[in-house]
Amino acid sequence: SSSGYMRIVGQSKSLLLGQDSVGATVYQEDNAPLYFATNNAERMRILADGKVGIGTTAPNNKLSVQGVGATSQIGVSSDGSNWSNIYNDGSDNLIINPVNDFIVTGSDDIKLQAGDDFEIFCDDLSISNGSSNYVYFDGGDQRVGIGTTSPGKKLHVEGSIAVSGAESAGDSGYGNSFYQYNQSGAQT
């Protein structure tokens, strides 16, 4: 081997340990996995094709983490003390648990898709462009605001609306009524 490397050979496989101009190297020369163990148990494995497994000896993605709840958490922190976590809860639900806000950004479309039900659990939910709220769901009062973040009724629309397909305003057969309010909140 080249200068700065040590070759370890065993069971017809060889491993290089060394130092070069790029940095320290652990190099599996053969088509075989490289694994890391502590306390007499395997903790991480890198397959010959580059897939990394933590908690699994058979990773099927570039990074596979296997475990349940706290044992499968992937933690992300900016300061080493406040950790946001991503994990599987044991029922094959992916849990994303941020310390503060959960923000999804993209330079193009962002799509959330579910094969069945799609549920969002939160106190309040705002759909906005970052500066203006388009739709606001008030979880405490169970109200929806369009163009407002303080809905005064079950559905509060700030601005003009168009309704099509309605039988008529105030149709007693359905028990529904449509009322118009002015800017001061008085019925017109």
Side-chain angles (χ1 to χ4, degrees), residues 165-178:
E167 294 293 322
S168 65
D171 187 339
S172 61
Y174 293 98
N176 299 318
S177 299
F178 290 83

Side-chain angles (χ1 to χ4, degrees), residues 5-8 14-18 24-30 34:
Y5 286 89
M6 176 177 62
R7 175 173 280 138
I8 301 170
S14 63
L15 176 73
L16 290 178
L17 299 175
T25 302
V26 176
Y27 187 83
Q28 172 61 276
E29 288 189 300
D30 300 290
L34 177 64

Side-chain angles (χ1 to χ4, degrees), residues 36-186:
F36 300 84
T38 61
N39 198 23
N40 206 28
E42 183 175 329
R43 305 297 181 186
M44 184 173 78
R45 178 176 289 226
I46 303 172
L47 298 182
D49 64 2
K51 293 176 183 167
V52 177
I54 300 174
T56 178
T57 59
N60 55 8
N61 297 295
K62 283 289 188 186
L63 174 62
S64 296
V65 179
Q66 184 175 324
V68 177
T71 65
S72 70
Q73 289 187 15
I74 298 172
V76 179
S77 175
S78 63
D79 61 8
S81 62
N82 295 309
W83 291 87
S84 296
N85 298 302
I86 302 170
Y87 63 95
N88 183 309
D89 69 354
S91 298
D92 291 330
N93 296 307
L94 178 65
I95 307 296
I96 300 173
N97 186 11
V99 172
N100 292 314
D101 296 335
F102 176 66
I103 300 170
V104 178
T105 63
S107 59
D108 204 354
D109 297 337
I110 295 175
K111 299 175 183 178
L112 302 175
Q113 181 175 341
D116 197 1
D117 297 337
F118 183 80
E119 299 178 41
I120 298 174
F121 297 96
C122 59
D123 293 331
D124 299 328
L125 175 67
S126 177
I127 299 174
S128 73
N129 67 356
S131 60
S132 298
N133 284 302
Y134 297 126
V135 181
Y136 181 78
F137 299 89
D138 181 338
D141 292 326
Q142 297 179 344
R143 296 177 179 175
V144 176
I146 299 175
T148 179
T149 57
S150 332
K153 302 286 182 191
K154 286 290 183 184
L155 175 62
H156 182 152
V157 178
E158 190 68 36
S160 301
I161 66 168
V163 178
S164 63
E167 294 293 322
S168 65
D171 187 339
S172 61
Y174 293 98
N176 299 318
S177 299
F178 290 83
Y179 300 103
Q180 180 175 351
Y181 291 87
N182 62 23
Q183 291 291 347
S184 62

